[in-house]
Amino acid sequence: MTVFRTFLKVLNKCKTPIIMYTVFLIFFGGFNIQTSDNSTNFTASKPDILIINKDCEKGITKNLIHYIEKNSNIIDIENKEEKINDALFYRDVNYIIYIPDHFREDFLNHKNPKIEVKSTGDYQASLAEMMLERYMKIANTYNKNLSSEKKIIKNIDDTLSKQAKVEITSKLDTDHLEKATFYYNFTNYCLLAGCIYVICLILSSFKNEHIQKRTIISSMNYKEYNRKLLLSNSLFSIVLWLFYVLLSFILLGNIMFTLHGLIYIINSFVFTLCALTLAFLLGNLVSNKNAINGIVNVIALGSSFLCGAFVPMEYLPNSVLTIAHILPSYWFIKTNELLKTIESFNLETIKPIILNMAVIVIFTIIFVVITNIISSKKRKIN
Amino acid sequence: MFIHNFKYALKTLFRNKMLIFWTFAFPIILGTFFNMAFSDIEKSEKLDIIDIAIVETDEFKNNEIFKESFKELSNKKNKDRLFNTKYVEESEAKELLKSNKITGYLLLKDTPKVVVTTSGINETILKYVTEEIKQTEKIVENLAQSEIKKEVEKKNYNIDYDQIYNKVLEITKDSDANIKNITSHNLSYTMIEFYTLIAMACLYGGILGMVAINQNLANMSSNGKRVSVAPTSKGKLILSSVLASYITQLIGIFLLFIYTIFALKVDYGNNLALVILLATVGSFAGLSLGVAVACLFKANDNVKTGIVISITMFGCFLSGMMGITMKYIIDKNIPIINKLNPANMITDGFYSLYYYDTLDRFYFNVVSLLIFAFLMIAISMFSLRRQKYDSI
């Protein structure tokens, strides 16, 4: 009990960083996990478009704006060039359309007026450009053939109303699963940083020369002391894990009560054990309290960035992912990403998940073995 | 005395491993992580070629417009190529879709139908293209009708369909939209991450200034007590210590710049002189922050370091280090916060050099940084003056 009580005392001293990591998790998690209604109907992606209309809103101009409005999210931004440019840079809008002065007049006089655009050059912008190009192409075509503006507009509307049927085959709740994956990927950072920081700090407190000497002469068996220390540390890790799991129930809701949710939880548990043993290893290696902060940041941030905890795996360059194979976080996050795509669980779909978990367990064993080797060597020196 | 103290302050700073880690190594390590994580983000946002399948129904085989359009859009030589198309049976298409080898497939019966697994941008593009082709079909139909009508109105009942067909084709040609892209070329928003990194390094430099000041404060270190009783002017001592830490800081920033420019290929715009100006002013602001923290708070080294680090990290968070949108959200909704935030002044200065052609915004940031720095120094001077201790 003495060991455990001391453990709690030291733990109480380092609550600030734990609270900080948790706040990060809630903040970023909550930021991205605003649940929206999921539907199994097809919803077309809508690019964010800003229209700067220098012409009056009549006739063909009005119709063009109306068409763009219907198929995109119109973003309202103060009409100042600097604000508009900022919005484009930070991808608040994907595409900006400047409708020139006398657009309608020039169009009807067959001048094919020039439309200036600004584009972020990404998927959404390409889609917006397709939309604008299509409209203008149709309008120009009818303009050659028909005389009155009314007729042109009617024909444009008639043509654009021809749509394709879309059928969705998957009944997977991808929206919620994606959020769950994002959340659990982020816990990679929180669990690693939390475990390493706290356990290293606690171990280094216990390794203080005076305290160590005092412990050695005490009546408590050396092994028992060690076992209790390990137990308290695992208890801490599990409490931390439980806390994040509970938080996920609050933030993610129903999706956690499914089989998918269960596997997210099991996966994170396996990873927590791995983080615990890694922290134990580091705690045995490092005795300088000041160095802990640096190590936590390098290891937790490093494996989070390399393995796709912050930036989704699909965006990472292949070379980085290849390096990431040597980190346990990679296998943890890989399972989370896999879960997102699995529709039904059977032996075939669950096999890669079990394989990933096995790799994490192997890492755990390796960490334990190395810790034992190091601590036994250190004891000999003493 | 000035040079003597300067030399030793420099030596103490360089021998402090923790300091050197946080101010020299940490930004470089973080930059490497950023580079690994973000280098492909923007590339993968560009439109890729989409894998699709088309079910070879009789309707599709007989529909020239659909057949030709998809052929052209899947043509490897076409620079606007959109699709990589497989022509298959329906069962095979379903199989391909199930194994995620294709985004979706097109089934052309009476009306075109697109089958996909989820909603998404690639799926939307497939739908759009299909509709566009369908609409082209409709245009041809409408045009042909109106041409025939015109002929009928002219009381010409002997209609030459070939001629009408050619005329319609003629009309649909050369109808492309006249669109001109006027976007600035520098649109890479991940650069902001690296700018916040420089901002962080500049402000972390404050720790150096703080440590240097602590060496001279009698209530902070025994070294400070020794220095305080020396018959040398305080101004000289503090100035030389601060200068030493400023130089150490500039060396760190210089290394970071070399690394980010040559190894990580970060783009700071074309005006190197202004980049250097901003970095020196930014470091100066960081230094003054450190000095102010050292003077104002009566606490030990660790707590003061903690204060500098928290101020820096919070400032960097607001200027977009942990998510680039954060900077935009603050800039757009509560601009006053970022106008007062030194980390954002540095970040925004680099951003305006990179993205804007005009320099107004850049100079606004530089001047803000200078004001911030002088304010901090004034506060420090005020609290450092006439310090006397009866006992410590």
Side-chain angles (χ1 to χ4, degrees):
Chain A
M1 218 40 210
T2 329
V3 177
F4 186 61
R5 257 209 304 272
T6 325
F7 171 84
L8 285 183
K9 249 186 204 163
V10 185
L11 183 62
N12 191 33
K13 276 189 188 159
C14 42
K15 57 184 181 238
T16 338
I18 299 187
I19 293 171
M20 201 178 75
Y21 294 132
T22 312
V23 169
F24 268 149
L25 177 71
I26 297 174
F27 192 83
F28 286 108
F31 207 59
N32 283 278
I33 303 177
Q34 294 146 344
T35 33
S36 58
D37 284 338
N38 179 64
S39 62
T40 39
N41 293 325
F42 184 80
T43 39
S45 302
K46 286 183 166 184
D48 297 321
I49 296 184
L50 172 70
I51 302 175
I52 310 276
N53 183 13
K54 291 177 187 150
D55 197 20
C56 53
E57 207 173 321
K58 268 184 194 158
I60 187 82
T61 313
K62 190 178 168 186
N63 195 255
L64 167 65
I65 294 174
H66 184 73
Y67 172 70
I68 301 281
E69 270 173 354
K70 215 172 72 188
N71 292 293
S72 66
N73 304 316
I74 292 293
I75 302 294
D76 198 22
I77 288 163
E78 205 182 326
N79 196 352
K80 266 192 202 153
E81 209 46 38
E82 188 175 314
K83 297 258 182 226
I84 294 171
N85 282 333
D86 279 353
L88 188 75
F89 187 88
Y90 293 106
R91 310 311 195 247
D92 196 21
V93 290
N94 305 115
Y95 204 71
I96 304 171
I97 302 172
Y98 293 90
I99 299 176
D101 208 2
H102 304 300
F103 172 77
R104 179 176 172 222
E105 220 176 290
D106 289 352
F107 172 79
L108 292 173
N109 293 330
H110 303 282
K111 282 187 189 158
N112 196 5
K114 185 164 80 188
I115 300 177
E116 288 184 326
V117 296
K118 282 185 180 174
S119 146
T120 50
D122 52 16
Y123 272 76
Q124 303 280 359
S126 308
L127 189 60
E129 182 143 322
M130 278 168 89
M131 223 184 265
L132 180 65
E133 269 175 1
R134 178 207 298 195
Y135 185 91
M136 288 315 296
K137 194 172 176 181
I138 293 172
N140 285 336
T141 310
Y142 284 124
N143 195 19
K144 282 183 201 161
N145 183 250
L146 302 165
S147 47
S148 89
E149 190 184 16
K150 237 185 195 163
K151 260 190 199 157
I152 295 175
I153 292 175
K154 192 178 153 284
N155 269 292
I156 293 174
D157 287 347
D158 182 37
T159 309
L160 286 172
S161 69
K162 289 279 161 216
Q163 298 210 327
K165 257 195 242 158
V166 182
E167 187 187 300
I168 284 202
T169 54
S170 167
K171 298 280 178 275
L172 208 59
D173 191 354
T174 43
D175 211 34
H176 284 91
L177 280 176
E178 231 157 67
K179 279 162 189 159
T181 297
F182 180 87
Y183 176 87
Y184 274 98
N185 283 351
F186 205 92
T187 54
N188 172 64
Y189 176 67
C190 303
L191 281 172
L192 266 181
C195 283
I196 296 175
Y197 187 82
V198 170
I199 292 174
C200 282
L201 210 64
I202 288 169
L203 285 187
S204 72
S205 305
F206 276 91
K207 270 197 306 197
N208 178 312
E209 207 190 326
H210 300 292
I211 295 175
Q212 210 167 20
K213 280 180 181 162
R214 169 73 187 76
T215 332
I216 289 169
I217 57 154
S218 74
S219 60
M220 189 182 277
N221 185 307
Y222 184 74
K223 277 181 190 161
E224 194 188 340
Y225 165 79
N226 249 356
R227 194 166 47 94
K228 280 187 174 158
L229 201 56
L230 182 68
L231 215 66
S232 335
N233 280 321
S234 352
L235 193 73
F236 162 73
S237 316
I238 288 171
V239 168
L240 191 69
W241 165 77
L242 256 180
F243 175 69
Y244 289 141
V245 169
L246 273 179
L247 198 65
S248 76
F249 274 92
I250 297 167
L251 285 174
L252 298 162
N254 282 340
I255 192 85
M256 293 311 297
F257 292 100
T258 60
L259 205 55
H260 280 93
L262 184 69
I263 296 180
Y264 280 120
I265 294 170
I266 296 173
N267 189 34
S268 62
F269 181 72
V270 175
F271 182 71
T272 307
L273 293 185
C274 187
L276 167 76
T277 52
L278 174 64
F280 227 83
L281 170 62
L282 290 171
N284 272 303
L285 283 176
V286 188
S287 44
N288 181 357
K289 270 189 189 177
N290 291 324
I292 293 172
N293 239 321
I295 289 169
V296 168
N297 275 301
V298 172
I299 291 185
L301 277 179
S303 45
S304 300
F305 268 117
L306 289 185
C307 303
F310 300 148
V311 177
M313 255 183 191
E314 63 216 55
Y315 294 143
L316 289 177
N318 281 334
S319 54
V320 171
L321 282 180
T322 321
I323 302 170
H325 277 72
I326 58 164
L327 298 166
S329 300
Y330 173 82
W331 306 92
F332 169 63
I333 291 169
K334 205 176 162 195
T335 305
N336 289 341
E337 295 286 339
L338 257 176
L339 276 173
K340 208 163 66 173
T341 56
I342 292 175
E343 240 174 285
S344 62
F345 291 100
N346 51 45
L347 205 63
E348 204 180 314
T349 52
I350 215 155
K351 211 169 120 193
I353 292 180
I354 292 174
L355 217 68
N356 290 346
M357 286 188 192
V359 175
I360 299 179
V361 172
I362 292 172
F363 271 111
T364 313
I365 296 169
I366 293 174
F367 291 145
V368 171
V369 170
I370 298 176
T371 315
N372 280 339
I373 294 172
I374 287 171
S375 59
S376 78
K377 269 193 180 162
K378 275 195 175 170
R379 221 175 296 160
K380 273 174 202 163
I381 295 165
N382 282 339
Chain B
M1 198 60 216
F2 187 87
I3 296 191
H4 177 84
N5 190 49
F6 174 76
K7 198 172 93 189
Y8 282 97
L10 211 57
K11 271 190 171 173
T12 357
L13 288 175
F14 269 107
R15 292 214 178 133
N16 190 332
K17 281 195 201 110
M18 280 315 292
L19 268 185
I20 297 301
F21 172 79
W22 284 108
T23 50
F24 280 43
F26 187 64
I28 288 183
I29 295 171
L30 204 59
T32 313
F33 291 157
F34 282 167
N35 185 50
M36 284 172 168
F38 300 130
S39 55
D40 258 17
I41 266 200
E42 285 173 40
K43 238 181 273 163
S44 51
E45 276 179 353
K46 298 247 158 58
L47 209 51
D48 272 338
I49 290 174
I50 305 167
D51 291 310
I52 59 162
I54 292 175
V55 178
E56 284 196 295
T57 53
D58 292 337
E59 283 87 347
F60 180 75
K61 281 179 193 155
N62 295 329
N63 191 323
E64 281 299 318
I65 294 184
F66 265 89
K67 223 162 78 181
E68 283 304 311
S69 306
F70 272 104
K71 201 171 146 195
E72 191 51 37
L73 287 170
S74 319
N75 189 347
K76 284 191 181 117
K77 285 173 196 148
N78 187 349
K79 72 173 169 54
D80 295 324
R81 183 184 177 206
L82 266 182
F83 299 120
N84 177 22
T85 314
K86 287 192 179 83
Y87 298 94
V88 291
E89 293 295 314
E90 190 169 358
S91 56
E92 200 184 330
K94 274 183 185 160
E95 217 28 66
L96 284 170
L97 189 65
K98 213 173 169 188
S99 54
N100 273 331
K101 292 224 169 69
I102 53 169
T103 301
Y105 64 88
L106 169 75
L107 183 66
L108 190 70
K109 287 262 166 72
D110 306 331
T111 53
K113 190 167 89 172
V114 173
V115 184
V116 292
T117 44
T118 78
S119 310
I121 186 91
N122 280 345
E123 288 80 358
T124 309
I125 285 172
L126 176 59
K127 173 179 181 270
Y128 257 72
V129 171
T130 311
E131 278 173 9
E132 193 163 347
I133 299 168
K134 180 80 191 159
Q135 287 161 3
T136 315
E137 218 179 5
K138 178 78 185 166
I139 295 175
V140 173
E141 195 186 305
N142 279 356
L143 286 178
Q145 258 176 18
S146 83
E147 285 302 317
I148 292 169
K149 219 166 140 190
K150 273 183 199 164
E151 296 291 315
V152 173
E153 274 165 10
K154 281 186 214 157
K155 309 253 189 253
N156 180 1
Y157 297 106
N158 194 4
I159 295 163
D160 182 351
Y161 286 101
D162 271 350
Q163 198 194 337
I164 286 183
Y165 180 72
N166 286 333
K167 199 172 172 193
V168 167
L169 276 190
E170 201 56 40
I171 294 172
T172 51
K173 259 186 215 163
D174 307 321
S175 299
D176 283 342
N178 186 1
I179 293 174
K180 193 183 169 216
N181 197 329
I182 52 165
T183 325
S184 147
H185 294 295
N186 293 342
L187 259 179
S188 169
Y189 64 88
T190 44
M191 288 300 152
I192 292 288
E193 291 283 352
F194 295 102
Y195 301 158
T196 56
L197 190 72
I198 301 277
M200 185 193 84
C202 284
L203 297 186
Y204 264 6
I207 305 175
L208 294 168
M210 188 203 81
V211 169
I213 289 285
N214 271 359
Q215 297 286 332
N216 293 310
L217 292 181
N219 58 348
M220 278 303 141
S221 58
S222 16
N223 198 5
K225 287 186 193 100
R226 166 70 187 82
V227 169
S228 298
V229 293
T232 318
S233 95
K234 286 280 147 50
K236 239 185 216 172
L237 285 176
I238 287 184
L239 210 63
S240 60
S241 309
V242 168
L243 189 67
S245 51
Y246 190 47
I247 286 176
T248 317
Q249 195 185 355
L250 285 183
I251 294 172
I253 295 285
F254 178 70
L255 290 177
L256 183 61
F257 265 108
I258 300 269
Y259 183 69
T260 49
I261 292 174
F262 293 106
L264 306 182
K265 308 266 180 273
V266 174
D267 189 350
Y268 292 100
N270 301 321
N271 204 331
L272 194 65
L274 291 181
V275 170
I276 293 172
L277 171 72
L278 184 58
T280 13
V281 175
S283 303
F284 185 53
L287 186 76
S288 66
L289 175 72
V291 171
V293 169
C295 298
L296 287 182
F297 295 92
K298 302 277 171 278
N300 66 27
D301 248 14
N302 280 339
V303 175
K304 284 183 182 177
T305 314
I307 294 171
V308 175
I309 290 185
S310 346
I311 295 177
T312 307
M313 286 324 269
F314 189 62
C316 288
F317 167 69
L318 291 179
S319 55
M321 182 178 251
M322 288 83 175
I324 300 154
T325 17
M326 197 65 210
K327 174 169 159 54
Y328 181 66
I329 291 171
I330 304 282
D331 278 348
K332 194 180 173 191
N333 300 318
I334 339 168
I336 185 74
I337 291 183
N338 267 351
K339 293 237 156 71
L340 297 174
N341 171 4
N344 185 62
M345 294 173 199
I346 301 173
T347 311
D348 203 69
F350 282 117
Y351 162 68
S352 52
L353 267 187
Y354 170 69
Y355 186 50
Y356 284 102
D357 300 328
T358 52
L359 289 173
D360 304 352
R361 190 159 162 175
F362 173 76
Y363 283 118
F364 177 79
N365 283 309
V366 171
V367 171
S368 310
L369 277 171
L370 283 174
I371 294 172
F372 174 83
F374 283 116
L375 202 69
M376 287 292 139
I377 286 176
I379 293 172
S380 327
M381 273 165 66
F382 202 70
S383 79
L384 272 184
R385 284 176 78 227
R386 298 179 194 283
Q387 273 183 350
K388 270 185 195 165
Y389 301 99
D390 290 333
S391 80
I392 298 174

